[in-house]
Structure formats: structure tokens, C-alpha cells
Amino acid sequence: MMQIGDCFTYHRRSRFPDLAEASSEAVRDSFVLIPENGEICGSIIRRIASYPHPQSNALLFMGNKGAGKSHLLRYLECLLARPEDPAWSGLEPYLRGAARPTTALRCRFIHVPADPGVELGGFLISQLQEQNTAAADAAEPEPDAFAARVGQAAATYGRKRVGLVAVEDISYRIDRSADMERIRHEIQLYKVLSEVLGTAGILVILVAEDKHLRKERGASAVDTPLEALSKSAEFIWITRNNVAEIINNAIAHKEDVHKRQVRGIVDSVRRKLPLLGTKAEVFTYLYPIHPMVFEALFQLRPVLPRFSPVGFLQAAIDAARSRPAEKLVTIADLFDYILPDLSKHEKLQTLVAAFDEFRRQIIPLLKPAMRPKAESLLK
């Protein structure tokens, strides 16, 4: 019987780490350079190459939660700290002739607080000045004082050779604020921050989700608040395809012979499930990950902020290689992987308890042959 592992060439790679705890070596070694993220890296490096000359504007780095924004920025942090790192050679095709930095540059990462009750201006100042002030205790400065204190931080950063400041979790905060006037005020703070640091040659990257940008005419300003940055920032996007490419090329690489095998599996599954709507090309590209699982990966981050889609994919594909070829990685596998973290989530404990009770009390009442399918449906 053909197994999943027969349908691709498996590449064992360093596991994607938890970025909150990972060493620079773990970040660098686990990063998968592919064309999409390579182009983004090239765009950022070409901007930083002008350091310490003034930056014309900020970069607004957009994409779904879990698409790889944070990992990419921390990968660049590793390289900028080590201009002699051999990994730079992989980026050369994306630099388009721009000179990469010849001396080490430092990066600074600021995670804005999700709680809209925390004053953003005071928090940003405390982070720029590397104070230990608790987020809730950071006092909000007046607009002129905010710009002046950012300028003081910029002077300090110049002496420390800080060339990049990334402001992350902007969308988390917007999602939790119902006060449009406050959101507009905070976007103005991001603009001032970018302009003042940019004058000192420091590139500011504002990291957010593209759902807060206008995609069509008539979209509400309430739903697209980041549109206000469109004239003062350069936009770069990373898509879910970045993760799909990592599956197809870096973890489970498929040659033409493999693609024919997977196409046969698609045809077999379609005979059993005539209403299966997934296109054969998408099914083949993501195999052995079920397309519904791929979609679900990007919905988990609001609940589990430290969940890594690629980390799950690596573990799941490795574990599935000895399965029958038609037994894909499904939502049930994803549920098993995240259940320990879901159980720790206070708002989900009632649901997890209901799942446990249903599994203990109801599943055993079914015929033995039906129990595995029933439990999979329950997950």
C-alpha cells in the first residue's frame, strides 16, 4: 500500500522555534528562503543600505497572522548583526545590486499592547528608551513632547547603530478598540515615530494585517484605519502562499512523478466524496495537508498568539509519512496538536470540558467501528 511519504521527498529541517524564546541561531537555521519572502527581504535590505542617511518613509508590512512576518524580521535581525554570515549569499539575488551593510546594525522590536486602555504614546516612549516601566503606568505625553522624546531616543539609537525599529501587533490593538478617534490619534503617533526616526536614518517597519486596509471602493474608514498611512508609508505584503511554498518546496518537495501520484489520490478521494470542492492543483500543492487545515491555520493566532503554522506543518507532515496515502493531515490532527494550549486558555475551558465530557460519555455508546470517525468529527 502506498504511503504518504512515497508521494514527496521529505526534507528534515530545523523546527520553527517559538520566537519569544529562540536564539538567533535557531531563528536563522529554521528560516526557509523562498522567492516571496526573498523579495521582501531584498526590499528591506535595499532600504537599510542607505543607513545612516535619512529614510524617506516607513514600511507598512502587511499579511495574515501566521504568514511569516515576525520570523522574516528576526531572520534579518540575525543577518544585520553579522555582515559576514554566509547566509547573506542566499539573499544576493534579491538585492538587485544594492550593497548590503558592511558593519553590524542592531534592530529593536516593539510589541504594542493589545489593551486599548494602555496609553500608546507613553508606552512607545518607554520602549524606545528601554525603560522598565509597566505598560499600564506609561504616561501619555503631549504631541510635541512625544516627537521630542522620540528624537532623544533616535540620538541614542544612532550611537548604538540601531538601523531598524519594528512595531508589531498593531492590528491586535485596533481590533480591540471601539474608539475611532483614539485609533486615528494612535495612527498619527505611528506617523510621527516613523518620521522622526527616519530623519535619523532608522527604518521603521509597522507590522499589521491587510484587513485594515481598503480593498474596495466604499469600504468604511472604521474598518480600514491604516488607509491613513497610505501617503506616508511604502507597503510590502506577505501572503499565505509563503507558507504553501514552504510546504511544497522545503518540507514535502514534489517532482512530476510525485504530482501524478497525488493527482491519482485526488481522483480516488473524489470518487468517495463527489462534492469535494478543492481544485486538484491546490490539493497537490498542499499535500499531505488537507486544504481545510491550511485555511484553519491562519484563524488560530488570535486565540493562540504563539502558535506557529509552519511549526505545526513540520511536525504533522513528519508524523504522517507512514500513513496510507489517502489519510491526509486533517482538522482532527490540528486539534490534537493545539489541545494542550487550548486547555490553558481561560475563555475556552468550558468548550474543552464539554469536548472531554462528550468523548467520555457519548462516544463509548456508539458501535466500536464508528467511534474513531465520531471522535474525529467531534474534534
Side-chain angles (χ1 to χ4, degrees):
M1 177 185 293
M2 185 164 61
Q3 298 180 332
I4 281 179
D6 298 326
C7 301
F8 51 78
T9 300
Y10 177 71
H11 296 288
R12 189 177 298 279
R13 304 185 61 92
S14 298
R15 285 290 167 87
F16 267 48
D18 183 336
L19 294 176
E21 302 172 352
S23 66
S24 58
E25 291 76 13
V27 171
R28 184 194 61 216
D29 294 346
S30 60
F31 188 77
V32 180
L33 186 64
I34 55 177
E36 179 169 343
N37 61 35
E39 291 291 347
I40 294 169
C41 288
S43 296
I44 295 171
I45 295 299
R46 289 197 297 273
R47 290 288 301 272
I48 293 178
S50 66
Y51 182 88
H53 299 292
Q55 293 286 342
S56 57
N57 53 20
L59 288 178
L60 188 55
F61 191 9
M62 313 297 291
N64 293 107
K65 293 183 180 77
K69 300 185 295 297
S70 295
H71 199 172
L72 183 151
L73 291 174
R74 279 156 181 77
Y75 175 70
L76 288 181
E77 178 189 24
C78 297
L79 296 191
L80 289 169
R82 298 179 57 192
E84 74 285 356
D85 196 311
W88 275 101
S89 61
L91 285 179
E92 290 292 349
Y94 303 105
L95 298 183
R96 310 254 170 81
R100 71 193 198 200
T102 55
T103 58
L105 290 176
R106 297 175 64 190
C107 301
R108 182 84 174 90
F109 293 89
I110 299 174
H111 293 268
V112 300
D115 181 2
V118 175
E119 296 292 348
L120 182 64
F123 176 82
L124 290 173
I125 292 299
S126 69
Q127 293 296 297
L128 287 170
Q129 296 180 346
E130 301 181 24
Q131 298 171 349
N132 293 322
T133 307
D137 298 332
E140 186 75 358
E142 294 296 322
D144 289 345
F146 177 77
R149 293 178 69 180
V150 174
Q152 293 169 4
T156 301
Y157 280 5
R159 292 191 293 272
K160 294 181 176 181
R161 292 192 60 80
V162 174
L164 185 155
V165 172
V167 183
E168 301 187 273
D169 298 334
I170 291 173
S171 287
Y172 279 99
R173 185 173 175 88
I174 291 175
D175 284 340
R176 286 158 179 77
S177 179
D179 185 343
M180 191 61 196
E181 190 60 37
R182 173 186 282 271
I183 292 174
R184 280 194 286 264
H185 167 70
E186 293 183 350
I187 287 174
Q188 185 62 31
L189 292 179
Y190 296 135
K191 292 174 69 172
V192 172
L193 177 81
S194 302
E195 290 167 1
V196 175
L197 293 181
T199 300
I202 300 166
L203 176 64
V204 175
I205 300 182
L206 306 172
V207 185
E209 293 181 68
D210 56 6
K211 68 179 181 180
H212 290 133
L213 278 176
R214 185 170 299 158
K215 297 184 180 67
E216 54 189 26
R217 285 184 185 174
S220 166
V222 174
D223 297 326
T224 58
L226 294 180
E227 201 67 31
L229 292 172
S230 60
K231 294 181 180 179
S232 58
E234 177 184 343
F235 291 73
I236 50 176
W237 275 268
I238 192 167
T239 69
R240 296 179 182 187
N241 190 58
N242 180 61
V243 178
E245 278 197 64
I246 290 172
I247 298 173
N248 190 56
N249 294 313
I251 303 175
H253 180 68
K254 303 173 192 76
E255 303 288 354
D256 288 343
V257 63
H258 296 132
K259 292 176 183 177
R260 288 193 293 270
Q261 288 174 319
V262 176
R263 185 57 186 262
I265 295 167
V266 177
D267 294 340
S268 175
V269 171
R270 280 233 167 92
R271 285 193 291 271
K272 299 175 184 177
L273 300 171
L275 298 180
L276 182 70
T278 306
K279 293 181 180 180
E281 293 79 9
V282 175
F283 193 106
T284 302
Y285 201 64
L286 297 177
Y287 183 86
I289 303 298
H290 192 290
M292 286 181 62
V293 174
F294 185 75
E295 291 298 316
L297 295 178
F298 304 98
Q299 300 174 38
L300 286 172
R301 290 296 285 276
V303 179
L304 302 175
R306 295 172 74 168
F307 171 74
S308 166
V310 176
F312 163 74
L313 294 169
Q314 286 179 302
I317 292 173
D318 189 11
R321 286 186 295 150
S322 59
R323 290 183 187 177
E326 291 186 11
K327 190 172 175 55
L328 305 184
V329 174
T330 65
I331 291 288
D333 297 301
L334 177 58
F335 182 86
D336 288 338
Y337 184 86
I338 65 173
L339 181 57
D341 292 323
L342 291 178
S343 301
K344 300 172 187 174
H345 198 292
E346 185 176 351
K347 292 183 179 179
L348 297 176
Q349 286 179 355
T350 301
L351 284 173
V352 173
F355 166 79
D356 288 336
E357 187 72 9
F358 203 103
R359 183 168 55 176
R360 284 196 303 267
Q361 301 293 334
I362 305 300
I363 299 294
L365 301 179
L366 303 175
K367 295 178 180 179
M370 294 298 297
R371 291 174 191 171
K373 288 185 178 180
E375 184 165 333
S376 180
L377 285 171
L378 179 61
K379 292 174 181 179

